[in-house]
């Protein structure tokens, strides 16, 4: 593929448009003795069959590939379903036809169906999944396919007023995405980062086994596809990817490292924000901005329980996000407090090093099979991802369905469902049976573990975890799973709530983060001196679309309240949808000669009611379990109740009628302009 086709450019970055056509008739070959045709055949021989069928339809225009006898079996759980359940003879026919079609395309032939209609792309996805996909998804899938293939047309920069300045707080994934987008719009943007490097949680979390539980090809910026070495990347590769994107898009040049934001104050007279900062050496300063985008994330700061005696512990004691460099656990007695996502990555990674590992769990977790844990992407398949945009796009689109809205029905509480404690509807009960069977299989003859590891609440009530060797680790003779809490800490041990003493050399807290206190690392003061912390009553965060709060003009929070996708998926997808919305706002705002937006109170309250009403009928409001998704009042503040489809519709175009509009020349209470730009 030519550099043009490799760019994977996105319309909002200002980069060049990408073509589905390679157009050169040549391509990279692994070595001088291998032809391009042979290289493609080697790649297709180990590729995903359902994805190849979709590539065949688009390259050839032959719809018989989504008809009998090529019916794909229903994809189970989170698996890729690489064979599609087809007989070997049919698989061979698909691979041979796909190899021929890709070779022809690479030699210059056009794709027969460059842009499938909404109806066709829905039909194709349904066939590739062996599942029902509602037609209402058509336009969304069409758009997502274009993003994955890199064929969206580039859009022009905005015409911002002279001197208009944006500041992004935080240089993690959200901050980098925001900086790239704002740069692409032609805005003057600065990123303030309190640390000395990029990466956010992927900079800080260095514990053994750290990695994504979302597929790498989904946990990627749409504008920056990557040649992933593993289907689920480890922390090191993810951090390197973030660094590479920041360098490729010249984000680093915009970042002021070692500059912590301590307070953000809106100046009503100047109609702009003043950001009070503190440098690493204690120097204070003030930055000024017309637009502020908060990208401090949800998984910050870490939480460590206030256990009696903890200060007297003689060994290392730390949160997993503060893993000490050069720490050796060889031959140590380790207590791991917590059994959530982090613990399930950490425990299998250290169990063979330690003398004894004691895991303290608060409650059991639902865990699902992790088919491709630590599996490397074969070099031949990596070539397909790099060189054939349609393969990459369809593989990604299938992942979106598997890890996003496919599960949505199982999250709805059926009021007539009889067994209301352990499941919430018939589909959810089926999931429970499947996961329970899997746990029995994994535990094997260690039946003593079953009472400890099978949850008594519905699947998906808490974050669903991926099994990267958790049950295998629990079966080890040097590993104990303890359901009792820790009452106190001794100099070289802990005492459980049942009075048992456990000898400990190293105390590790995998106890999560203060996720219900959004934007807790700095103070935000808006119009009339209103403090955001007070508006949110500390832990009761609400924001229109997870982005905007009345009284705080031109202040947006990415990955804010009610935006995490509880039924699975990638936070990057949500963040980019939010940036689509912010871009839409800015384009319309500047076109009207205005400079600021402030969410209307009634819009904010109506949206909050909608979120609460939807959650009342979903699994996360179920009383059978506790979850970090809810605050101390029981309100769900972290998770979104929307399907990805719904959120896409909500964010694809902003409505200025939802906002009070203003500028330095126009009063903030001026009526919203009509669609043709004239004032009402």
């Amino acid at each position: 593929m030519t550099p043009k086709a490799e760019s994977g450019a996105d319309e909002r970055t200002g980069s060049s448009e990408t073509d589905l056509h390679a157009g050169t008739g040549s391509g990279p070959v692994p070595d001088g003795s291998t032809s391009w045709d042979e290289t493609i055949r080697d790649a297709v021989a180990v590729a995903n069959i359902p994805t190849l069928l979709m590539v065949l339809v688009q390259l050839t225009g032959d719809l018989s590939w989504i008809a009998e006898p090529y019916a794909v079996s229903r994809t189970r759980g989170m698996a890729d379903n690489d064979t599609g359940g087809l007989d070997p003879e049919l698989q061979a026919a698909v691979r041979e036809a796909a190899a021929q079609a890709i070779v022809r395309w690479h030699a210059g032939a056009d794709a027969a169906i460059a842009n499938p209609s909404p109806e066709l792309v829905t039909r194709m996805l349904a066939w590739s999944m062996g599942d029902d996909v509602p037609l209402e998804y058509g336009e969304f899938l069409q758009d997502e396919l274009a993003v994955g293939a890199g064929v969206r047309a580039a859009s022009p920069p905005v015409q911002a007023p002279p001197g208009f300045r944006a500041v992004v707080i935080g240089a993690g994934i959200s901050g980098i995405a925001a900086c790239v987008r704002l740069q692409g719009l032609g805005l003057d943007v600065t990123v303030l980062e309190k640390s000395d490097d990029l990466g956010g949680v992927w900079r800080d979390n260095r514990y053994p086994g750290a990695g994504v539980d979302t597929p790498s090809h989904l946990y990627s910026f749409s504008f920056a596809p990557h040649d992933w070495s593993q289907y689920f990347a480890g922390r090191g590769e993810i951090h390197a990817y973030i660094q590479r994107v920041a360098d490729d898009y010249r984000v680093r040049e915009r970042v002021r490292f070692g500059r912590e934001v301590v307070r953000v104050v809106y100046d009503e007279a100047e109609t702009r924000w003043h950001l009070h900062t503190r440098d690493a050496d204690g120097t204070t300063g003030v930055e000024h901005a017309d637009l502020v985008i908060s990208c401090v994330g949800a998984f910050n700061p870490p939480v460590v329980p206030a256990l009696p005696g903890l200060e007297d512990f003689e060994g290392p004691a730390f949160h997993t996000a503060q893993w000490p460099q050069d720490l050796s656990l060889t031959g140590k007695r380790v207590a791991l407090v917590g059994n959530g996502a982090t613990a399930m990555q950490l425990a299998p990674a250290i169990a063979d090093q330690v003398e004894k590992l004691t895991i303290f769990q608060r409650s059991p977790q639902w865990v699902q099979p992790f088919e491709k844990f630590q599996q490397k992407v074969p070099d031949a398949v990596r070539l397909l991802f790099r060189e054939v945009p349609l393969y990459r796009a369809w593989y990604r689109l299938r992942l979106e369905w598997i890890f996003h809205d496919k599960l949505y029905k199982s999250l709805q509480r059926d009021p007539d469902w009889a067994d209301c404690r352990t499941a919430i509807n018939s589909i959810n009960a089926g999931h429970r049976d499947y996961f329970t069977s899997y746990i029995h299989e994994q535990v094997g003859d260690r039946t003593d573990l079953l009472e400890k590891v099978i949850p008594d609440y519905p699947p998906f009530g808490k974050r669903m975890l991926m099994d990267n060797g958790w049950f295998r680790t629990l079966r080890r003779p040097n590993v104990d799973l303890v359901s009792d809490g820790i009452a106190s800490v001794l100099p070289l041990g802990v005492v459980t709530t049942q009075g048992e003493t456990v000898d400990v050399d190293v105390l590790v807290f995998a106890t999560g983060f203060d996720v219900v206190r959004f934007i807790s690392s700095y103070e935000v003061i808006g119009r009339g001196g209103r403090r955001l912390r007070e508006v949110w009553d500390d832990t009761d965060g609400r924001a229109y679309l997870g982005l905007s709060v009345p009284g705080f003009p031109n202040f947006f929070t990415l990955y804010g309240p009610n935006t995490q996708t509880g039924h699975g998926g990638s936070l990057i997808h949500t963040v980019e949808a939010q940036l689509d919305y912010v871009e839409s706002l800015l384009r319309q705002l500047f076109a009207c000669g205005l400079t600021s937006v402030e969410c209307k109170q009634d819009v904010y309250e109506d949206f909050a009611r909608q979120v609460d009403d939807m959650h009342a009928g979903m699994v996360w409001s179920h009383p059978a379990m506790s979850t970090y998704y809810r605050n101390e009042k029981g309100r769900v503040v972290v998770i979104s109740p929307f399907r990805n489809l719904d959120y896409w519709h909500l964010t694809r175009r902003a409505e200025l009628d939802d906002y009070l509009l203003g500028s330095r020349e126009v009063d903030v209470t001026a009526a919203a302009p009509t669609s043709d730009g004239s004032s009402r």
Side-chain angles (χ1 to χ4, degrees):
M1 175 171 291
T2 63
K4 176 183 178 185
E6 175 64 13
S7 69
D10 182 87
E11 66 166 331
R12 292 165 297 272
T13 64
S15 302
S16 60
E17 182 178 351
T18 301
D19 195 344
L20 278 178
H21 194 291
T24 62
S26 63
V29 177
D31 59 66
S33 63
T34 306
S35 70
W36 172 255
D37 290 16
E38 292 172 320
T39 299
I40 287 297
R41 289 183 184 280
D42 290 344
V44 168
V46 290
N48 178 272
I49 288 288
T51 303
L52 289 178
L53 285 170
M54 303 304 102
V55 173
L56 269 169
V57 169
Q58 282 202 244
L59 290 186
T60 67
D62 185 353
L63 300 187
S64 68
W65 293 110
I66 50 174
E68 293 290 356
Y70 302 104
V72 172
S73 61
R74 191 173 190 274
T75 300
R76 298 196 67 188
M78 303 299 187
D80 276 1
N81 196 16
D82 281 329
T83 68
L86 300 186
D87 291 337
E89 296 79 9
L90 292 175
Q91 291 183 49
V94 172
R95 296 188 194 281
E96 174 60 26
Q100 292 180 15
I102 292 171
V103 167
R104 286 195 301 270
W105 166 81
H106 192 269
D110 290 326
I113 306 175
N115 184 29
S117 68
E119 294 78 14
L120 179 56
V121 75
T122 304
R123 176 184 167 191
M124 291 170 70
L125 179 63
W127 189 268
S128 78
M129 299 303 305
D131 200 359
D132 293 327
V133 179
L135 186 57
E136 63 177 317
Y137 278 83
E139 290 185 12
F140 169 68
L141 296 176
Q142 186 184 48
D143 187 63
E144 291 295 298
L145 187 65
V147 170
V151 295
R152 276 181 166 180
S155 57
V158 297
Q159 298 298 315
F164 189 91
R165 182 170 185 252
V167 169
V168 173
I169 304 174
I173 282 181
S174 298
I176 290 170
C179 184
V180 171
R181 181 68 65 91
L182 295 177
Q183 282 188 126
L185 296 179
L187 294 180
D188 175 13
V189 55
T190 299
V191 182
L192 303 180
E193 169 56 51
K194 66 180 180 180
S195 300
D196 59 1
D197 196 7
L198 303 158
V201 295
W202 297 111
R203 176 196 62 234
D204 297 338
N205 286 269
R206 300 170 178 268
Y207 61 85
V212 290
D213 54 10
T214 300
S216 306
H217 295 91
L218 201 54
Y219 198 84
S220 308
F221 298 111
S222 65
F223 56 84
H226 183 63
D227 182 19
W228 295 104
S229 70
Q230 293 188 166
Y231 287 103
F232 291 80
R235 178 262 168 197
E237 186 171 10
I238 300 165
H239 191 238
Y241 167 69
I242 294 170
Q243 299 271 350
R244 191 267 289 176
V245 172
D247 289 338
D248 287 351
Y249 286 86
R250 305 182 70 172
V251 170
R252 200 180 300 273
E253 300 172 16
R254 302 277 187 167
V255 182
R256 297 182 181 176
F257 291 106
R259 185 157 295 181
E260 179 183 10
V261 175
V262 295
R263 190 168 69 258
V264 180
V265 183
Y266 186 70
D267 188 317
E268 295 187 56
E270 296 185 9
T271 63
R272 65 190 326 208
W273 290 93
H274 302 311
L275 296 90
H276 298 260
T277 64
R278 180 173 54 233
D279 289 357
D281 62 2
T283 303
T284 60
V286 180
E287 301 274 351
H288 307 285
D290 300 281
L291 169 69
V292 177
I293 300 184
S294 178
C295 298
V296 295
F299 296 98
N300 183 43
V303 171
V304 174
L307 297 174
L310 180 58
E311 66 279 2
D312 297 324
F313 186 70
E314 294 181 1
F318 52 87
H319 191 278
T320 51
Q322 298 158 337
W323 196 272
Q325 290 187 351
D326 303 322
L327 174 70
S328 173
L329 297 179
T330 303
K332 303 293 186 181
R333 298 166 300 182
V334 178
L336 175 59
V337 184
N339 65 316
T342 297
M344 287 200 175
Q345 292 183 340
L346 175 61
I350 65 173
D352 62 349
Q353 305 170 28
V354 304
E355 176 186 321
K356 185 73 173 180
L357 176 61
T358 305
I359 303 170
F360 291 87
Q361 73 168 14
R362 183 171 60 178
S363 63
Q365 303 271 16
W366 284 113
V367 183
Q368 59 191 345
F370 200 170
E371 180 186 63
K372 292 194 171 177
F373 171 60
Q374 290 188 339
Q375 277 196 26
K376 293 189 177 297
V377 183
D379 288 344
V381 177
R382 290 173 69 174
L383 179 138
L384 280 182
F385 283 128
R386 291 194 307 268
E387 305 299 328
V388 184
L390 277 178
Y391 185 87
R392 182 177 68 231
W394 272 106
Y395 185 81
R396 180 183 170 104
L397 194 63
R398 292 186 73 250
L399 290 178
E400 285 192 35
W401 183 252
I402 293 170
F403 280 80
H404 286 160
D405 289 0
K406 174 186 173 185
L407 296 170
Y408 192 77
K409 288 182 180 179
S410 70
L411 309 177
Q412 311 303 313
R413 297 170 67 177
D414 181 353
D416 298 325
W417 183 250
D419 187 5
C420 61
R421 174 160 184 90
T422 58
I424 58 170
N425 58 43
S426 59
I427 300 174
N428 191 262
H431 285 303
R432 181 183 181 87
D433 291 342
Y434 172 70
F435 294 137
T436 301
S437 175
Y438 175 74
I439 292 172
H440 276 270
E441 173 190 307
Q442 293 300 307
V443 167
D445 58 3
R446 285 292 307 276
T447 55
D448 59 296
L449 289 170
L450 290 175
E451 186 177 353
K452 294 181 179 180
V453 299
I454 296 180
D456 62 353
Y457 56 85
F460 305 102
K462 298 185 180 185
R463 178 180 177 183
M464 181 60 70
L465 304 181
M466 308 288 279
D467 181 14
N468 56 356
W470 176 251
F471 299 108
R472 182 176 67 249
T473 299
L474 296 183
R475 294 180 60 181
R476 294 177 62 100
N478 68 329
V479 175
D480 281 342
L481 180 65
V482 178
S483 295
D484 302 330
I486 296 177
S488 62
V489 179
L490 304 173
L492 286 175
V494 300
V495 179
T496 72
T497 52
Q498 295 300 311
E500 180 184 354
T501 298
V502 180
D503 295 332
V504 175
D505 301 311
V506 180
L507 189 52
V508 182
F509 292 98
T511 43
F513 301 84
D514 192 7
V515 295
V516 296
R517 286 182 174 83
F518 292 92
I519 312 183
S520 61
S521 58
Y522 63 91
E523 185 177 32
V524 185
I525 303 173
R527 185 185 301 282
R530 299 178 70 198
R531 285 173 164 76
L532 186 58
R533 190 89 273 122
E534 295 173 356
V535 171
W536 282 347
D537 193 19
D538 193 25
T539 63
D540 203 21
R542 306 165 192 256
Y544 180 50
L545 301 175
L547 277 166
S548 184
V549 179
F552 299 84
N554 279 19
F555 181 90
F556 300 100
T557 173
L558 297 191
Y559 206 42
N562 295 116
T563 53
Q564 192 177 129
T565 52
H567 55 299
S570 169
L571 79 89
I572 297 177
H573 191 276
T574 299
V575 164
E576 291 191 345
Q578 291 185 304
L579 289 171
D580 289 346
Y581 184 86
V582 171
E583 176 182 336
S584 176
L585 264 180
L586 294 176
R587 286 191 180 280
Q588 296 179 69
L589 190 69
F590 296 153
C592 298
L594 304 173
T595 56
S596 72
V597 291
E598 178 184 339
C599 184
K600 292 178 179 177
Q601 188 70 30
D602 63 330
V603 171
Y604 170 80
E605 292 175 356
D606 288 347
F607 182 79
R609 276 193 293 270
Q610 180 185 9
V611 167
D612 290 346
D613 289 347
M614 292 177 70
H615 274 310
M618 300 184 75
V619 66
W620 304 304
S621 295
H622 196 283
M625 76 284 170
S626 62
T627 170
Y628 72 80
Y629 297 164
R630 301 194 298 245
N631 63 15
E632 70 277 6
K633 301 174 183 177
R635 181 174 171 269
V636 179
V637 296
V638 174
I639 294 298
S640 169
F642 299 106
R643 298 175 298 174
N644 271 29
L645 171 66
D646 302 324
Y647 199 68
W648 178 77
H649 279 298
L650 288 169
T651 56
R652 65 185 306 196
R653 186 183 188 279
E655 295 295 336
L656 291 188
D657 280 343
D658 292 338
Y659 293 86
L660 301 174
L661 308 174
S663 71
R664 292 190 177 90
E665 295 78 29
V666 180
D667 186 78
V668 73
T669 58
T674 60
S675 58
D676 64 2
S678 61
S679 296
R680 289 194 178 112

